[in-house]
Amino acid sequence: MVSPPSLSGLHHVTLPVTDLDASTAWYTRVLAGARVPALDHHDAETGRYSVVLALPGVAIPVQLRLAPEAAGTAAAYDPLTLSVSDRAELDRWAAHLDACQVPHGSVVEARMGHALSFHDPDGTMLRLYTEPVGGFDAILKGR
């Protein structure tokens, strides 16, 4: 068997949306995303169809792409799970989501810690998850 070439990391995550401006505003307000206008995607027919956001504490960008036919298809699936340091931080997030009037579930005990789920304006499930004790490296080395 031939080994594949190496990977150097995760480049970005793309989420489909129905309204690019409304979703950009929501991700900015709720997750403190900062739009990177130099990375906007445009085409001659439809104009701007994608924006890229930098989220505080997240090493890779999140791209919001205008794709109405795909938006909302992940209501019961979490394509984006973000790390938080501990359970207390999840409680702070729950309070923040309440202040932003974003409905969310309860903090639950999950496989490797605790989690909190909520949905973006298109119904895509997003999840906040506590980092595993010792980090993922400790878990992956023990496989």
Side-chain angles (χ1 to χ4, degrees):
M1 175 180 234
V2 176
S3 295
S6 65
L7 298 172
S8 60
L10 188 58
H11 190 271
H12 70 278
V13 173
T14 301
L15 299 173
V17 300
T18 56
D19 183 325
L20 196 53
D21 291 332
S23 290
T24 300
W26 188 90
Y27 278 84
T28 299
R29 179 176 60 89
V30 176
L31 297 179
R35 185 169 154 221
V36 184
L39 297 179
D40 284 358
H41 292 52
H42 298 86
D43 68 23
E45 291 178 31
T46 60
R48 187 182 59 171
Y49 66 89
S50 185
V51 301
V52 174
L53 301 173
L55 301 181
V58 179
I60 63 161
V62 172
Q63 178 182 23
L64 302 178
R65 182 177 295 228
L66 187 60
E69 66 288 346
T73 59
Y77 174 75
D78 52 335
L80 181 61
T81 299
L82 301 166
S83 302
V84 300
S85 58
D86 55 32
R87 168 64 194 263
E89 196 66 16
L90 277 182
D91 292 334
R92 286 189 281 281
W93 270 101
H96 171 72
L97 293 171
D98 288 341
C100 290
Q101 299 180 341
V102 174
H104 58 84
S106 301
V107 173
V108 297
E109 188 167 342
R111 182 171 169 85
M112 293 185 291
H114 291 87
L116 174 64
S117 299
F118 56 103
H119 293 85
D120 77 0
D122 286 300
T124 299
M125 182 192 293
L126 305 174
R127 183 168 288 158
L128 301 171
Y129 210 119
T130 56
E131 295 174 3
V133 175
F136 281 106
D137 285 343
I139 294 169
L140 296 175
K141 287 178 185 175
R143 59 181 163 159

